Amino acid sequence: GHAERFWQIFANAATTSILWFEVMFYILYSIIIVTELYFLMRTDLIALREGNTGIKQRLYSFLSLGSQRLDQASKDRDMKIVKTLGIIGIATAIAVHGGTGAVFAVVKAVSYWHSPLVPIAFIISAIASGAGLLLFLRAFFFKPAPDEQQFLSSLAKLAVFLIALDWLPIIFEFLVDLYGGIPAAVAAVEAAVAGPNWWVFWFIQLALGLIIPIIIVLLPWTRKSRVWLGAAGAFIVIGIVGFRLNLVIAALYVARITELPSAFFSPRLLASYSPTVVEVMSSIGLLALFMVLISLGLKFLPLQTPTENTADIEGGR
């Protein structure tokens, strides 16, 4: 609730904290992505600047950072930079998503989280949800390309393979917890599959997030449908949300000190959870903001095909 204190994380760096490293990696990752996007769109932004007037021309002039060069050497340089950033970005992305899992995995007091499999599950689920989101956006928001069906079908198969792969650490974690017999871990597994939010595990995470996308990819008439493939991508993303929710909330159902809630009452000590109105509305608001930004990007940025041939502009000079 105090965003103005953001500078504290830089001024008082907690270099022994995984969460501090996670924040640093997120900042680095965001810088890499924005820089990559600039060099991928630089020549198209110049073309749009030359092909517009007024506010749009000023907008594209700002986004192109005043760049003027459209020669082949500059384009080749851009691609080399993008390739280098991509390699660095892959390593950074693994650190970001693995670090998110590590924030949970290092909590020794929560047996359900304290496992090296948790960061692995986070990395795989991040890649799977990214593929699913790309599949959804490409199917419903982008104009079809000549090889669209083959691309969507291949992307759907990749997303389904990744989401199936993501279930391996989940299954192993459940089996190890149940076989190990640690009461808190067993109770958390039971809460995940049979607790108050049992429907999240069975219907959201398993049925919607895994089984239905597999069926869509396997059936001939659905895997040839742009709409069904896009829906499969959306289902995979929703299933990953269910996985994250189950991981967090199921463990919190298990009281760390069983006698404490009866000895001292506080809403913060309740071993149950339901989202508040503020939490629900803020989540919907963030999703709406994301969709607005995507829509603005599709409308004003050259994310698909350039509106003007850069070669013609270069030749005109």
Side-chain angles (χ1 to χ4, degrees):
H2 289 278
E4 76 279 1
R5 299 179 183 174
F6 75 93
W7 59 273
Q8 290 279 356
I9 197 169
F10 303 102
N12 302 300
T15 54
T16 59
S17 167
I18 287 183
L19 189 56
W20 182 84
F21 279 102
E22 177 74 347
V23 173
M24 295 301 107
F25 277 124
Y26 260 109
I27 293 172
L28 175 61
Y29 191 42
S30 300
I31 293 172
I32 290 173
I33 289 175
V34 171
T35 307
E36 266 190 295
L37 194 60
Y38 166 75
F39 283 106
L40 284 169
M41 297 190 303
R42 187 187 65 85
T43 54
D44 293 333
L45 288 171
I46 296 173
L48 288 167
R49 182 186 65 200
E50 299 294 331
N52 286 279
T53 58
I55 295 177
K56 282 190 175 182
Q57 187 180 54
R58 289 194 291 271
L59 171 65
Y60 293 123
S61 179
F62 170 75
L63 292 176
S64 63
L65 303 180
S67 178
Q68 301 285 340
R69 299 185 61 178
L70 286 170
D71 55 278
Q72 190 60 44
S74 296
K75 296 177 184 178
D76 293 340
R77 180 209 60 186
D78 290 351
M79 291 303 102
K80 287 181 180 179
I81 293 174
V82 168
K83 183 178 180 180
T84 302
L85 289 173
I87 294 171
I88 299 172
I90 290 172
T92 308
I94 293 173
V96 165
H97 300 296
T100 305
V103 169
F104 291 91
V106 297
V107 182
K108 292 185 288 184
V110 183
S111 301
Y112 188 56
W113 293 342
H114 189 47
S115 168
L117 291 176
V118 173
I120 296 174
F122 267 73
I123 292 172
I124 300 174
S125 66
I127 301 173
S129 60
L133 183 60
L134 177 60
L135 180 62
F136 168 72
L137 293 174
R138 181 68 179 257
F140 289 106
F141 292 91
F142 283 71
K143 296 177 182 178
D147 59 344
E148 186 73 3
Q149 186 55 45
Q150 181 181 355
F151 174 80
L152 291 178
S153 179
S154 299
L155 185 59
K157 292 176 183 177
L158 174 63
V160 166
F161 168 77
L162 289 169
I163 196 63
L165 184 65
D166 192 43
W167 271 85
L168 288 180
I170 297 173
I171 293 171
F172 288 143
E173 182 67 27
F174 279 12
L175 292 176
V176 170
D177 286 341
L178 293 173
Y179 187 83
I182 299 174
V186 174
V189 173
E190 292 174 348
V193 301
N197 288 328
W198 61 270
W199 55 274
V200 173
F201 178 83
W202 295 106
F203 292 109
I204 304 297
Q205 190 177 346
L206 181 60
L208 194 65
L210 178 68
I211 296 175
I212 292 178
I214 289 176
I215 292 174
I216 290 174
V217 169
L218 290 179
L219 292 178
W221 64 276
T222 52
R223 70 167 175 256
K224 294 180 181 179
S225 167
R226 181 184 179 90
V227 174
W228 275 109
L229 291 177
F235 294 155
I236 287 172
V237 174
I238 295 171
I240 294 297
V241 174
F243 158 64
R244 301 293 176 89
L245 186 146
N246 244 331
L247 178 78
V248 175
I249 295 179
L252 297 180
Y253 278 132
V254 182
R256 307 276 78 78
I257 304 175
T258 55
E259 296 82 6
L260 188 59
S262 58
F264 180 79
F265 176 78
S266 169
R268 294 179 180 273
L269 296 177
L270 296 177
S272 61
Y273 170 78
S274 58
T276 65
V277 174
V278 173
E279 290 172 332
V280 171
M281 296 307 295
S282 61
S283 298
I284 294 174
L286 287 172
L287 182 61
L289 175 62
F290 167 75
M291 298 307 294
V292 168
L293 293 175
I294 287 291
S295 299
L296 290 174
L298 290 171
K299 182 174 178 62
F300 294 106
L301 295 178
L303 297 177
Q304 299 186 64
T305 55
T307 56
E308 187 173 355
N309 192 328
T310 57
D312 293 341
I313 296 174
E314 186 179 353
R317 285 208 176 98

